């Protein structure tokens, strides 16, 4: 329901746990144990469970959802940008190019100096042209 929003929150650097298929009771239990806020579009969840940190996301589109949360929580949209893996949520680590040279195209090694590695899933990140598109999408999403 909110998988794309979770990815955007991770791109912004926020610790965002997401599972597509989880029972409501398990979700609530985990949120309470880990002191997390539950974000949901499931209107039955806040009726079924009384959880102090539960936000019913009203917007349907991911960019609108992001705007809703940035406004609600006054989220920083630049300070932590690209510090978490957008897939698995692990914090990214800077690595020298020789450690990842075999995992990216040779052109990328020639054109870029800074790389980050996800210790969780092994994904390699660098500031390619997609970074400008992501920044533009974030600006559009949070514009008043």
């Amino acid at each position: 329901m909110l998988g794309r929003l979770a990815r955007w929150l991770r791109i912004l650097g926020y610790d965002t746990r997401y599972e597509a298929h989880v029972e409501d009771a398990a979700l609530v239990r985990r949120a309470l144990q880990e002191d997390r806020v539950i974000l949901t579009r499931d209107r039955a969840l806040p009726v079924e469970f009384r959880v102090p940190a539960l936000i019913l996301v009203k917007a349907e589109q991911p960019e609108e959802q992001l705007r809703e949360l940035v406004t609600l929580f006054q989220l920083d949209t630049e300070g932590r940008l690209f510090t978490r893996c957008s897939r698995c949520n692990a914090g990214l680590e800077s690595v020298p190019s020789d450690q990842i040279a075999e995992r990216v195209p040779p052109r990328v090694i020639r054109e870029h100096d800074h790389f980050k590695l996800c210790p969780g899933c092994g994904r390699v990140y660098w500031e390619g042209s997609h970074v400008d598109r992501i920044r533009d999408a974030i600006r559009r999403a949070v514009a008043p």
Side-chain angles (χ1 to χ4, degrees):
M1 212 178 276
L2 296 174
R4 289 175 53 195
L5 174 62
R7 180 171 244 150
W8 279 114
L9 291 170
R10 289 172 180 165
I11 288 169
L12 290 178
Y14 290 96
D15 180 5
T16 307
R17 188 161 180 173
Y18 174 79
E19 294 175 51
H21 306 288
V22 61
E23 296 292 324
D24 289 352
L27 172 69
V28 169
R29 187 171 36 260
R30 189 172 306 131
L32 292 171
Q33 288 171 345
E34 297 177 10
D35 195 29
R36 291 184 179 271
V37 174
I38 296 174
L39 304 173
T40 186
R41 291 208 17 91
D42 180 355
R43 296 184 187 285
L45 190 65
V47 173
E48 187 178 348
F49 294 92
R50 303 283 184 226
V51 181
L54 187 144
I55 304 296
L56 187 61
V57 177
K58 295 174 183 74
E60 292 183 21
Q61 298 302 314
E63 284 189 6
E64 294 170 12
Q65 293 168 347
L66 183 59
R67 181 180 304 119
E68 185 177 333
L69 293 182
V70 165
T71 301
L72 179 65
F73 292 110
Q74 296 295 295
L75 299 179
D76 178 2
T77 59
E78 301 206 12
R80 302 184 206 176
L81 201 56
F82 306 118
T83 57
R84 289 195 167 274
C85 179
S86 63
R87 286 193 182 161
C88 78
N89 193 43
L92 299 178
E93 300 172 351
S94 293
V95 293
S97 59
D98 62 336
Q99 283 188 9
I100 49 86
E102 295 178 2
R103 301 175 61 194
V104 299
R107 169 189 59 77
V108 172
I109 293 294
R110 285 192 307 273
E111 295 175 4
H112 300 279
D113 297 323
H114 303 288
F115 296 90
K116 292 186 178 181
L117 177 67
C118 174
C121 68
R123 189 171 188 203
V124 178
Y125 291 86
W126 64 90
E127 288 210 24
S129 59
H130 62 287
V131 169
D132 290 333
R133 288 191 302 274
I134 291 169
R135 283 190 170 108
D136 287 342
I138 291 168
R139 279 194 274 292
R140 282 192 313 273
V142 300

